[in-house]
Amino acid sequence: MSKTEVETAERPKGEEEGVNVVGVGLTSFGEYPDRTTRDLFGEAAQKAFESSSIKRDDVDMVYYGNFIAELSELQGHQGPQMAQAAGVRAPATRVESACASSGAAVREAVKEVRNGESDVVLVGGAERMNNMGTAGATEGLAAAADALYEIKAGVTFPGAYALMARAYFNEFGGSREDLGNIAIKNHKNGAKNELAHFQREIDMVDVLEAPMVSDPLYLYDCCPISDGASALLVASDTYAKEHGLDGSVSIIGTGQAGDSLALQNRKHLAKTPATTEAAREAFDDADVSIDDVDAVEVHDCFTIAEVMALEGLGFYEHGEAIKAATNRETTKDGSLPVNLSGGLKAKGHPVGATGAAQIAEMVKILKGEHPNAPENAEVGLTHNAGGTVASTTVHILQK
Amino acid sequence: MSKTEVETAERPKGEEEGVNVVGVGLTSFGEYPDRTTRDLFGEAAQKAFESSSIKRDDVDMVYYGNFIAELSELQGHQGPQMAQAAGVRAPATRVESACASSGAAVREAVKEVRNGESDVVLVGGAERMNNMGTAGATEGLAAAADALYEIKAGVTFPGAYALMARAYFNEFGGSREDLGNIAIKNHKNGAKNELAHFQREIDMVDVLEAPMVSDPLYLYDCCPISDGASALLVASDTYAKEHGLDGSVSIIGTGQAGDSLALQNRKHLAKTPATTEAAREAFDDADVSIDDVDAVEVHDCFTIAEVMALEGLGFYEHGEAIKAATNRETTKDGSLPVNLSGGLKAKGHPVGATGAAQIAEMVKILKGEHPNAPENAEVGLTHNAGGTVASTTVHILQK
């Protein structure tokens, strides 16, 4: 669907401002134990300003996503700290929704611009975990699950997603090779992304010979522990036009939903209704249909998470996305390219940065500025999930 | 100024929904080391629902303020957890802005309702600190300051506010007795508040014989380490009218501003420009003037903070609020009653709960349902500050 068709479609709130992504900035993702989140976010924000002609004084509000700087740096209250790191004097609020922190921050930014509260918002996120060591980071990440009912019972995230994968296999089938093909695909995409944590391809031998992490998940089913930051400058249509900014990519839909924090309270371990609800809201909001989507970035913290995301979003029926990568439907040249950035698996997952980073990557994809960009992609969807999908945000972008 | 006069005044955004506080719930504040934040917020939310006829299914969004549950309970990702504790199935986002966390959450809720994104929002906050012990809580609270440039140099919050108090005394004068009169006033107010952490009066002998904490601040200049939770149900005019809810108290203005996180980057240690900026925005937004305000709740984490708040808000010139309590201007029967709830000093300061709790108290004050309520108060202001006022929110309420 072209932009013109969408614009002339009936929109429920005709008075709202369009929300343009007029600047993007990403650090490379990787292991930077000596870099503070302030340092990382400052770099991402600097890049976002360099990619746009927006003056720092024109930023009206900052939303910043971070998950566990209290644990990694004994640093809370990062809103004003990050505004300062970005050289911006504006009110700044930190949003935390575990791995969906900056997805939730972007949602606040979208509403802020859409409703005319702000003309320009700086939004993004950062995370630093490698300074905590692997055990410390694993314990820190566990704060996204239920501390009382899950973590005290010994579950960490690889274990929680292994439970979901096992439930999926039991109900719908699937194999280690099917999951492996997702990792192989995402590594292949990441190999072309100069900002990715892992810029190398893997093959099925690597997958099958890898050590087990939590059965049925093995090393290449798991995203890495990454440090990094992301920043977006979003501006209203009015501001973008007045200032001659490139408003070619807009965020046209936003959705958010929640679920019980603990897996024990879910009806089904291998379905993620929060994803479905957030997607429904985002599509209603955007006034485009799922068939219009040309490229997708989903929250593949584990390979099985990509499967559940594609089903939850509605691209596949339950039980069918497990074969999507195996059947080459979600590869770069497939009918629905998924995680062209490399995904969390290969691009990396600096938790608080991920949601806004997905949008930054999608902006490049839609503009054709990404090495993996398909030709003529016009509509992209990003899906960011917290914990075991206890919180989700979905955003729809259009060129 | 009566409500009618305000309503007929020119409002910049005539299409916006009014934001009514239709339910409030507070736990008692105190030392509850064995109660989780989930338990505390669940109680506050339950009370909020009991105070209103709103059905849980009608809640469209949850904003929740918390500062350091990652440290006190190894629990992040509290948005969905708190929605579940409240019995609400709606998207839920945690907002963190140190001691201004739930003030910032309320601001998001106000915008959400005002702009028609939601009809009903559950907003509040919780904090649990006494399970950490005094040293642990002090270290945790320090995460609101700059970990690298302040905390590593040995400063904790009593020390930071002592620096501000010393700078104030050096420039403007003032005495221990002046600060003591603020504590005496707030304890006197708190003695009538059955939910307050300290429900007893103190006198000048108590003040002067108290141990020094960080010169020139002594024990009674410091708020306690409290556990507790707050919850508000806010609803649009349209929803409130349709459902026959008591919409007699509205939030008519919101403001937020930030400053450098570290004191070292401030121009003046005894002035808080973020308070001034947030107040200016809130008054512009509310379309009432400072002379219309009948009662104030300010963020008196230390007695000197009440002084700087009253000056920053514009109720006093710089250097003049230090005598306000001594001159009985801010007492219950004074010209500008301040912290009728008991303030953070006596009511207590469960960090993430405080901003929304101030509003809950102000709603009771304006409705005449508070033991300390003045007669005929119509306009109230609440001021919530994070760290050393590196972030501030100001809200204006009207009956």
Side-chain angles (χ1 to χ4, degrees):
Chain A
M1 183 182 280
S2 75
K3 187 161 189 177
T4 312
E5 284 174 294
V6 172
E7 282 183 340
T8 54
E10 194 179 311
R11 295 288 293 270
K13 294 174 187 168
E15 301 296 315
E16 288 177 345
E17 278 280 359
V19 182
N20 305 287
V21 184
V22 295
V24 303
L26 294 170
T27 67
S28 65
F29 289 1
E31 296 183 25
Y32 306 115
D34 295 332
R35 297 191 64 182
T36 60
T37 47
R38 162 169 33 200
D39 179 24
L40 292 164
F41 187 74
E43 178 189 322
Q46 172 68 19
K47 286 181 173 174
F49 281 111
E50 283 172 2
S51 75
S52 167
S53 58
I54 285 182
K55 293 191 178 65
R56 282 171 161 78
D57 283 351
D58 281 5
V59 173
D60 299 311
M61 181 76 198
V62 179
Y63 287 104
Y64 167 77
N66 171 268
F67 176 35
I68 49 165
E70 287 94 342
L71 293 170
S72 63
E73 302 180 326
L74 280 175
Q75 184 66 73
H77 206 188
Q78 289 204 307
Q81 185 176 45
M82 293 304 156
Q84 196 176 11
V88 165
R89 187 165 171 85
T93 294
R94 174 209 176 186
V95 169
E96 185 269 318
S97 199
C99 310
S101 291
S102 61
V106 168
R107 180 170 160 84
E108 296 305 321
V110 167
K111 292 190 290 190
E112 182 85 5
V113 170
R114 185 179 274 183
N115 292 318
E117 298 277 354
S118 291
D119 296 322
V120 179
V121 176
L122 171 65
V123 57
E127 206 76 52
R128 177 194 192 189
M129 293 186 291
N130 281 289
N131 65 323
M132 304 168 82
T134 305
T138 302
E139 188 180 0
L141 289 165
D146 194 306
L148 193 59
Y149 297 124
E150 294 185 309
I151 304 309
K152 291 214 170 171
V155 175
T156 57
F157 270 87
Y161 272 91
L163 287 169
M164 299 169 91
R166 180 58 65 205
Y168 188 99
F169 284 173
N170 284 348
E171 179 150 351
F172 303 119
S175 66
R176 269 193 71 191
E177 285 82 354
D178 290 328
L179 295 182
N181 280 321
I182 294 167
I184 291 167
K185 164 181 74 69
N186 290 348
H187 268 266
K188 187 168 184 178
N189 290 338
K192 295 278 176 60
N193 184 347
E194 63 179 11
L195 298 174
H197 193 152
F198 298 134
Q199 299 174 35
R200 63 183 175 83
E201 298 194 27
I202 58 170
D203 61 23
M204 193 56 80
V205 176
D206 296 321
V207 164
L208 295 177
E209 290 185 352
M212 195 239 283
V213 174
S214 184
D215 183 67
L217 301 180
Y218 289 68
L219 185 64
Y220 287 107
D221 292 308
C222 310
C223 73
I225 293 167
S226 312
D227 308 310
S230 58
L232 309 172
L233 286 162
V234 297
S236 67
D237 273 345
T238 305
Y239 180 94
K241 279 174 196 152
E242 279 178 8
H243 292 77
L245 300 172
D246 173 9
S248 60
V249 176
S250 301
I251 300 175
I252 60 170
T254 178
Q256 181 177 358
D259 202 343
S260 71
L261 194 59
L263 282 176
Q264 65 185 25
N265 299 116
R266 308 274 178 87
K267 286 185 185 165
H268 200 301
L269 285 188
K271 292 180 183 174
T272 53
T275 292
T276 305
E277 287 173 38
R280 189 181 300 130
E281 184 188 357
F283 279 115
D284 284 351
D285 189 37
D287 211 8
V288 297
S289 87
I290 197 164
D291 296 331
D292 299 316
V293 176
D294 299 307
V296 182
E297 293 282 314
V298 302
H299 196 93
D300 61 321
C301 47
F302 298 90
T303 47
I304 188 68
E306 178 166 317
V307 176
M308 293 188 294
L310 291 174
E311 296 175 3
L313 291 166
F315 292 105
Y316 287 86
E317 296 295 319
H318 287 291
E320 295 190 355
I322 186 72
K323 293 286 180 197
T326 300
N327 295 341
R328 301 189 56 80
E329 294 159 8
T330 51
T331 52
K332 184 181 165 185
D333 304 317
S335 54
L336 181 74
V338 175
N339 286 332
L340 288 165
S341 69
L344 282 59
K345 175 68 204 80
K347 181 187 60 180
H349 181 28
V351 171
T354 288
Q358 292 174 313
I359 290 171
E361 297 277 356
M362 186 58 75
V363 169
K364 294 182 195 178
I365 289 166
L366 295 179
K367 285 186 173 179
E369 297 172 356
H370 200 285
N372 293 326
E375 282 184 23
N376 305 318
E378 291 185 351
V379 176
L381 179 148
T382 65
H383 162 263
N384 188 203
T388 49
V389 202
S391 55
T392 317
T393 60
V394 171
H395 287 97
I396 299 174
L397 286 78
Q398 186 174 47
K399 182 184 173 185
Chain B
M1 183 182 278
S2 76
K3 188 163 187 176
T4 312
E5 285 173 291
V6 173
E7 281 183 341
T8 55
E10 194 179 312
R11 295 288 292 268
K13 297 175 187 167
E15 302 296 314
E16 288 176 345
E17 277 281 359
V19 181
N20 305 287
V21 185
V22 296
V24 304
L26 293 170
T27 68
S28 65
F29 289 0
E31 297 182 26
Y32 306 113
D34 295 332
R35 296 191 65 183
T36 60
T37 47
R38 161 168 36 200
D39 179 25
L40 292 164
F41 187 74
E43 178 189 322
Q46 171 68 19
K47 286 181 173 175
F49 282 111
E50 284 172 2
S51 74
S52 168
S53 58
I54 285 182
K55 293 189 178 68
R56 282 172 162 76
D57 283 349
D58 281 3
V59 174
D60 299 309
M61 181 74 200
V62 178
Y63 286 104
Y64 167 77
N66 171 267
F67 176 34
I68 49 164
E70 287 94 341
L71 293 170
S72 64
E73 301 180 327
L74 281 176
Q75 183 67 71
H77 206 188
Q78 287 203 310
Q81 186 177 44
M82 294 303 156
Q84 195 176 12
V88 166
R89 188 165 169 85
T93 294
R94 174 210 177 186
V95 169
E96 185 268 319
S97 199
C99 311
S101 291
S102 62
V106 168
R107 180 170 160 84
E108 297 304 322
V110 168
K111 291 191 290 189
E112 181 86 3
V113 170
R114 186 178 274 183
N115 292 317
E117 298 276 353
S118 290
D119 295 324
V120 179
V121 177
L122 171 64
V123 57
E127 205 78 52
R128 177 193 192 189
M129 294 186 289
N130 281 289
N131 66 322
M132 304 169 82
T134 305
T138 302
E139 187 179 1
L141 289 165
D146 194 305
L148 193 59
Y149 296 126
E150 295 185 308
I151 304 311
K152 291 214 169 170
V155 176
T156 56
F157 270 88
Y161 272 91
L163 287 169
M164 299 170 91
R166 180 58 66 203
Y168 188 98
F169 283 172
N170 284 349
E171 179 152 351
F172 304 119
S175 66
R176 271 193 69 192
E177 286 82 354
D178 290 329
L179 295 182
N181 280 321
I182 295 167
I184 291 166
K185 165 182 74 69
N186 291 349
H187 269 266
K188 187 168 184 178
N189 290 338
K192 296 278 176 61
N193 184 347
E194 62 181 10
L195 298 174
H197 192 152
F198 297 133
Q199 299 174 36
R200 62 183 176 81
E201 298 194 27
I202 59 169
D203 61 24
M204 192 57 79
V205 175
D206 296 321
V207 165
L208 295 176
E209 290 184 353
M212 195 239 284
V213 174
S214 184
D215 182 68
L217 301 179
Y218 289 69
L219 184 65
Y220 287 108
D221 293 307
C222 309
C223 72
I225 293 168
S226 312
D227 308 310
S230 58
L232 308 172
L233 286 162
V234 296
S236 66
D237 273 346
T238 305
Y239 180 96
K241 278 175 196 154
E242 279 177 9
H243 293 77
L245 301 172
D246 173 8
S248 60
V249 176
S250 300
I251 301 176
I252 61 170
T254 178
Q256 181 177 359
D259 203 342
S260 70
L261 194 60
L263 282 176
Q264 64 185 26
N265 299 116
R266 309 274 178 87
K267 286 186 185 164
H268 200 300
L269 286 186
K271 292 180 182 172
T272 53
T275 293
T276 306
E277 287 172 39
R280 189 179 301 130
E281 184 188 357
F283 279 115
D284 285 352
D285 188 39
D287 210 10
V288 298
S289 86
I290 195 164
D291 297 332
D292 300 317
V293 175
D294 299 309
V296 182
E297 293 283 313
V298 301
H299 195 93
D300 61 322
C301 46
F302 298 90
T303 48
I304 188 67
E306 178 165 318
V307 175
M308 293 188 293
L310 291 174
E311 296 175 3
L313 291 166
F315 291 107
Y316 287 86
E317 296 295 319
H318 287 291
E320 296 190 356
I322 185 72
K323 293 286 179 196
T326 300
N327 295 340
R328 301 189 57 80
E329 294 159 8
T330 50
T331 52
K332 183 181 165 185
D333 303 317
S335 53
L336 182 74
V338 174
N339 285 332
L340 288 165
S341 69
L344 281 59
K345 175 68 205 77
K347 181 187 58 179
H349 181 27
V351 171
T354 287
Q358 292 174 315
I359 291 172
E361 296 277 356
M362 186 58 75
V363 168
K364 294 182 194 176
I365 289 166
L366 296 178
K367 285 187 174 178
E369 296 171 357
H370 199 284
N372 294 325
E375 283 185 22
N376 304 320
E378 291 184 351
V379 176
L381 179 148
T382 64
H383 162 262
N384 189 202
T388 49
V389 201
S391 56
T392 316
T393 60
V394 171
H395 286 98
I396 300 174
L397 285 78
Q398 186 173 48
K399 183 185 173 185

